[in-house]
Amino acid sequence: MTRASQALSGFIALLALASVGFAARHATSRRQANPQPATAAREVTFNRDVAPIVFHNCALCHHPGEAGPFPLLTYADVKSHARQIAFVTDKRIMPPWLPDPGELKFTDELRLSDEQIATLQAWVDQGMLEGSAADLPAKPTFSAGWQLGKPDVIVRAEKPYVLPASGSDSYWNFVFRNPVNRSHWLKAIEIRPGDKRLVHHANILVDREESGRRLEKEPGAGFGGMELIIESEAFDPDSHFLFWKPGSPPYVEPDGMALRLEKNTDLVLNTHFQPSGKPEPIQPTLGLYFTDKPATLHPILIQLDNDRLLDIPPGEKNFLVSDDFTLPVDATILAIYPHAHYLGKDLLALATFPDGTKKTLIHISHWDLNWQAVYRYEDPPLLPKGTTISMRFTYDNSADNVRNPNQPPKRVVAGNRASDEMAHLWLQVLPSESADSSVDPRREIQEALALHHIQNNPDDFEAHYNLAALLQMRGNLSGALLQFSEAVRIRPEDPIANNALGAVLLASGQVEGAIPHLKTALASRPDYFDAHYNLGNALASKGDFGGALTHFRAAVRLNPQDANAEANLGSALAETGNLKEARLHFERALQIDPKNELARENLEQLNRETQGHPN
Amino acid sequence: MAAGRVVVLVFVRTDCPISNRYAPTVQRLSAAHAGKAVFWLVYPSKAESAESIRKHEREFGYKLPALRDPQRVLVKESQVQITPEVAVFDAARRLVYHGRIDNLYEDIGRARSAATTHELEDAIAATLSGRTLSAGTAPAVGCYISDLE
């Protein structure tokens, strides 16, 4: 214990003064920087030696309005944190950069060299000399506005989220409803997450199915949660990382690439905050930048994981989770995003080429969730068909891991909460064009991935669903039927899987088999347009036009802009003898889509039938 | 034991994120010990004016009396080196503890989801009950006071 050698005399009197006037010497730092003999010999000054390092590597975040908690733009700024800087750079806590140096380089690498770190130590050891003004490089300038100029569309979260003053980290999701009212090719998104000092990272998910909205307690309120699962009936036409971390400039897609953003699509911003000590209202803004040039290159995301193996006993210090996926086609890796939670320790991704040689794709030997990032390759490596990508992640579930959210440690399995774990490795790859035009390399990868995930986990709902959708696209209805049935077996109430299974059964003539699945879909989600539409068709095809009417009416109410639903409603009305109303809906269908064949033919038939019999 | 209250000095800095993150904890602990321990905030920076300190207190919800210590007299008496760091004095004004508030931070950039040891509370409780503190000082994690002007 620490005891003062003498009583503190006149303590109260001293405290009553606003400031205390004695000459005090500087206390010495407990954590003295290690002197570096190599550079200690030479005089190190701020203006000549330190400013270039700080301006280039620190000021990006450490300037007003950015993520750094204090600016590092002047001699006084840097001096007032000098020992801190020497300490955090020596331990490579700052600048935050997780990947170990390796053969493959990443863009925007924020890693100081050993010499730079030694220079900072020597500067502090020598008493933080300012040096000659002539040596000072130009102060970096930053623009406070939109980094890519005025965006084509700016959207702001409807309601702020108030980050509590204290507690552990917060995860919040903001739903940006329908930011565009027609299709656009998106070249870049600038994410302005609010007060950047509070945000550790943010990720945008493209939500075509209003999945995010359904999780909001009230419209625009957003919702909590660390990991998002966005359901999707269609495959992403393109797969892009939409990621923000402190200090990262907005990413502009390279030539030939762009993200297709349709109308009736929401963007969901998933954010990770750390409390600051006071309540902070946070209301992010997104700036969208479009291009007229449609994408000609279509990357795809490959996800390696092995959630079933993630079952870490308490106290385990080195728990390994691995997964291996072999590429069915040639592909270039553009970017990589390894992800684990607080037990993650060492994250490694490897490529083993067909000839057996290996290459490290990324190695993070000191994982820290707080500084997770998407890493883009400076010189993207081409991996030939037959290359195996391997994920090797280790986890520390002992009490020695200070970030362990469970103290004392307990069994941890895969899950979406911060106290659960994840072992995911995402790669953005660009498949090479196939010489055989009948082969779509993206579908080859998607199919191989779905099969891979089913092999890892026969109860993988998404894998069965995705495989079914791929088989359906290929016209393999019996295969699709089998896989959608598996998806429904795994999640018997799932509206999307039930609707899809119903639709395939309907398409293969099995009306009676389809109806119960479509009804289940509607029981789970009463406002499901597709299921109403399909059930209307199923009932109509067995002659139950009264039943069909109910569902087509619901479909039209849910989506008044769907010409087919209007045309089918008209047909059902005509079948039940309500020709007057039927005509209105055929006409409405043709208003929406003048080329709608069904509505045109039916209207013509109606005109023939009612000739001379006006009703 | 002589009548009198325990005095806790909390050394803080306006631009130190770890120091600021502790504001709710410090405020909560001072309220919990009202009548038994008196908490003071101490700002060791020469650069902070009375106005900037008042603004900082308002922003972070501090309802504690604050002191400037530009000459580092209290810093020296308290043997502290970091913000945030606390010093606990008994009724006889002897320094009985200085160091971290709790172990939320293992190191800069390495935080627990919640503290598992509570050194300041333990020190206050021991001092109030006249017990001798058994544990040694626990080094604080945060920003160096010696970096300040």
Side-chain angles (χ1 to χ4, degrees):
Chain A
M1 84 161 248
T2 306
R3 233 190 238 116
S5 51
Q6 80 278 17
L8 184 55
S9 55
F11 188 77
I12 294 301
L14 213 58
L15 285 175
L17 298 171
S19 36
V20 209
F22 277 89
R25 62 184 169 77
H26 272 258
T28 45
S29 162
R30 174 160 33 231
R31 298 187 177 105
Q32 275 294 357
N34 295 329
Q36 297 286 334
T39 43
R42 172 174 171 272
E43 189 175 87
V44 178
T45 73
F46 175 80
N47 288 344
R48 187 184 55 212
D49 307 296
V50 172
I53 300 172
V54 171
F55 289 175
H56 187 255
N57 298 283
C58 316
L60 204 62
C61 286
H62 287 271
H63 71 262
E66 271 301 327
F70 40 79
L72 293 175
L73 296 172
T74 65
Y75 172 64
D77 288 344
V78 178
K79 188 163 175 267
S80 74
H81 292 276
R83 287 169 188 81
Q84 189 106 34
I85 293 168
F87 177 76
V88 297
T89 52
D90 184 47
K91 292 188 87 172
R92 292 194 182 277
I93 295 167
M94 284 285 150
W97 183 257
L98 298 183
D100 296 355
E103 183 191 344
L104 296 170
K105 301 278 176 255
F106 299 107
T107 58
D108 302 318
E109 184 178 276
L110 262 185
R111 192 185 163 79
L112 298 182
S113 68
D114 292 344
E115 292 72 28
Q116 289 173 316
I117 292 170
T119 299
L120 295 171
Q121 312 296 322
W123 180 60
V124 172
D125 291 342
Q126 292 178 18
M128 296 159 285
L129 302 172
E130 184 167 8
S132 159
D135 294 337
L136 183 66
K139 195 156 95 177
T141 53
F142 301 98
S143 125
W146 294 100
Q147 298 301 298
L148 303 175
K150 190 176 179 295
D152 294 301
V153 167
I154 298 172
V155 282
R156 187 160 198 239
E158 280 179 49
K159 291 178 184 155
Y161 163 68
V162 180
L163 177 67
S166 60
S168 51
D169 292 11
S170 284
Y171 297 88
W172 195 257
N173 303 288
F174 300 88
V175 180
F176 296 85
R177 296 175 174 229
N178 298 339
V180 295
N181 48 24
R182 66 174 182 87
S183 298
H184 286 283
W185 289 102
L186 203 57
K187 199 67 184 162
I189 300 185
E190 180 167 348
I191 302 172
R192 307 190 110 195
D195 190 330
K196 293 180 181 175
R197 290 170 307 162
L198 310 171
V199 190
H200 263 292
H201 77 272
N203 242 329
I204 293 178
L205 289 99
V206 178
D207 180 6
R208 296 183 178 87
E209 307 295 335
E210 302 188 355
S211 314
R213 292 186 192 196
R214 280 195 287 276
L215 296 170
E216 292 184 312
K217 285 214 176 76
E218 53 180 293
F223 57 97
M226 183 181 198
E227 306 283 352
L228 276 186
I229 296 165
I230 294 293
E231 58 191 49
S232 174
E233 284 183 77
F235 286 104
D236 284 4
D238 299 292
S239 302
H240 299 262
F241 288 121
L242 302 169
F243 186 89
W244 181 91
K245 71 174 168 65
S248 58
Y251 178 72
V252 182
E253 296 290 340
D255 281 349
M257 287 190 208
L259 173 80
R260 182 87 171 156
L261 186 61
E262 310 283 354
K263 66 174 184 175
N264 298 325
T265 299
D266 294 345
L267 296 176
V268 180
L269 183 70
N270 171 242
T271 45
H272 170 196
F273 303 106
Q274 200 158 63
S276 71
K278 61 185 165 94
E280 307 266 8
I282 294 160
Q283 196 164 8
T285 310
L286 305 180
L288 311 184
Y289 297 86
F290 304 139
T291 172
D292 296 335
K293 290 186 196 139
T296 53
L297 301 171
H298 304 281
I300 178 172
L301 289 188
I302 291 179
Q303 181 188 321
L304 274 72
D305 68 67
N306 219 334
D307 286 352
R308 242 176 21 143
L309 295 185
L310 252 181
D311 186 346
I312 318 175
E316 174 67 53
K317 287 181 81 75
N318 271 304
F319 187 89
L320 175 71
V321 177
S322 63
D323 190 22
D324 302 275
F325 173 70
T326 302
L327 281 171
V329 294
D330 295 353
T332 302
I333 306 189
L334 304 175
I336 192 163
Y337 178 26
H339 181 71
H341 293 176
Y342 295 100
L343 303 185
K345 180 177 168 179
D346 186 296
L347 275 52
L348 172 68
L350 284 171
T352 307
F353 291 90
D355 68 3
T357 57
K358 290 180 193 295
K359 197 185 276 278
T360 297
L361 298 176
I362 193 165
H363 186 200
I364 297 174
S365 54
H366 300 282
W367 169 250
D368 181 349
L369 170 65
N370 284 340
W371 298 115
Q372 67 171 309
V374 167
Y375 300 98
R376 300 179 197 274
Y377 292 99
E378 205 161 81
D379 194 6
L382 172 70
L383 307 185
K385 174 181 176 174
T387 300
T388 298
I389 300 167
S390 302
M391 174 184 95
R392 300 282 181 268
F393 288 4
T394 56
Y395 294 81
D396 181 352
N397 192 15
S398 72
D400 295 346
N401 175 5
V402 301
R403 296 195 183 101
N404 195 331
N406 303 305
Q407 299 287 358
K410 60 181 192 194
R411 178 189 170 198
V412 169
V413 296
N416 296 329
R417 298 167 308 165
S419 55
D420 302 323
E421 257 314 325
M422 282 187 100
H424 284 187
L425 175 72
W426 285 280
L427 302 110
Q428 187 193 33
V429 307
L430 187 63
S432 305
E433 290 293 324
S434 171
D436 176 357
S437 63
S438 71
V439 175
D440 178 346
R442 299 179 75 241
R443 292 215 182 141
E444 297 288 317
I445 293 181
Q446 279 161 334
E447 207 169 307
L449 268 177
L451 287 166
H452 171 74
H453 288 136
I454 291 168
Q455 198 169 35
N456 272 356
N457 177 11
D459 290 335
D460 187 327
F461 170 84
E462 269 116 44
H464 284 293
Y465 184 92
N466 288 347
L467 185 55
L470 283 160
L471 293 169
Q472 190 178 11
M473 274 193 270
R474 280 209 206 172
N476 180 350
L477 284 192
S478 60
L481 206 70
L482 186 72
Q483 295 303 327
F484 280 135
S485 301
E486 283 291 290
V488 167
R489 170 186 65 76
I490 297 160
R491 289 191 201 160
E493 314 278 305
D494 188 88
I496 292 181
N498 272 290
N499 174 61
L501 179 55
V504 175
L505 284 164
L506 204 56
S508 42
Q510 302 179 52
V511 181
E512 292 300 337
I515 289 173
H517 290 294
L518 297 169
K519 285 186 170 166
T520 304
L522 286 173
S524 296
R525 190 182 295 171
D527 63 348
Y528 194 175
F529 168 83
D530 290 14
H532 279 295
Y533 181 88
N534 288 332
L535 186 52
N537 275 337
L539 294 173
S541 70
K542 56 177 264 190
D544 178 2
F545 297 109
L549 259 185
T550 310
H551 291 289
F552 286 135
R553 282 199 198 278
V556 163
R557 182 173 42 78
L558 287 165
N559 187 357
Q561 294 303 315
D562 193 284
N564 286 330
E566 288 282 358
N568 282 354
L569 174 56
S571 304
L573 283 163
E575 294 288 351
T576 53
N578 190 344
L579 302 184
K580 194 174 169 189
E581 207 193 332
R583 179 187 301 277
L584 289 176
H585 287 284
F586 290 139
E587 285 167 358
R588 172 80 185 125
L590 288 169
Q591 245 174 26
I592 299 166
D593 175 16
K595 293 197 197 81
N596 190 289
E597 292 290 331
L598 182 70
R600 182 167 301 283
E601 281 167 22
N602 279 328
L603 193 59
E604 280 164 8
Q605 194 188 340
L606 198 62
N607 285 335
R608 281 195 302 274
E609 282 174 12
T610 56
Q611 235 165 19
H613 307 281
N615 52 89
Chain B
M1 186 187 154
R5 286 186 292 183
V6 171
V7 171
V8 179
L9 300 186
V10 185
F11 292 83
V12 297
R13 178 171 174 170
T14 56
D15 68 347
C16 175
I18 298 181
S19 171
N20 285 336
R21 202 181 164 188
Y22 268 98
T25 304
V26 169
Q27 196 56 45
R28 178 175 56 76
L29 290 177
S30 70
H33 294 94
K36 293 175 188 158
V38 183
F39 280 61
W40 296 80
L41 295 181
V42 184
Y43 292 79
S45 172
K46 282 195 185 85
E48 299 293 352
S49 64
E51 184 43 48
S52 67
I53 287 171
R54 272 195 288 274
K55 180 168 171 282
H56 182 249
E57 284 210 275
R58 266 199 311 278
E59 267 183 35
F60 285 88
Y62 278 123
K63 297 179 183 71
L64 301 177
L67 295 162
R68 290 176 66 232
D69 185 20
Q71 304 299 329
R72 311 283 156 80
V73 174
L74 297 177
V75 168
K76 198 176 154 198
E77 295 283 8
S78 302
Q79 302 177 21
V80 297
Q81 299 179 1
I82 299 289
T83 61
E85 185 166 355
V86 290
V88 178
F89 296 87
D90 66 11
R93 303 297 168 248
R94 278 189 303 262
L95 179 65
V96 292
Y97 172 77
H98 72 86
R100 69 187 178 195
I101 294 165
D102 60 30
N103 73 343
L104 181 65
Y105 280 86
E106 174 77 8
D107 206 337
I108 294 171
R110 283 171 67 80
R112 294 178 165 80
S113 59
T116 57
T117 63
H118 305 275
E119 285 79 7
L120 175 56
E121 282 181 276
D122 294 348
I124 295 170
T127 311
L128 286 172
S129 64
R131 277 186 284 122
T132 302
L133 277 174
S134 51
T137 192
V141 174
C143 310
Y144 296 114
I145 292 171
S146 57
D147 276 342
L148 288 164
E149 278 296 319

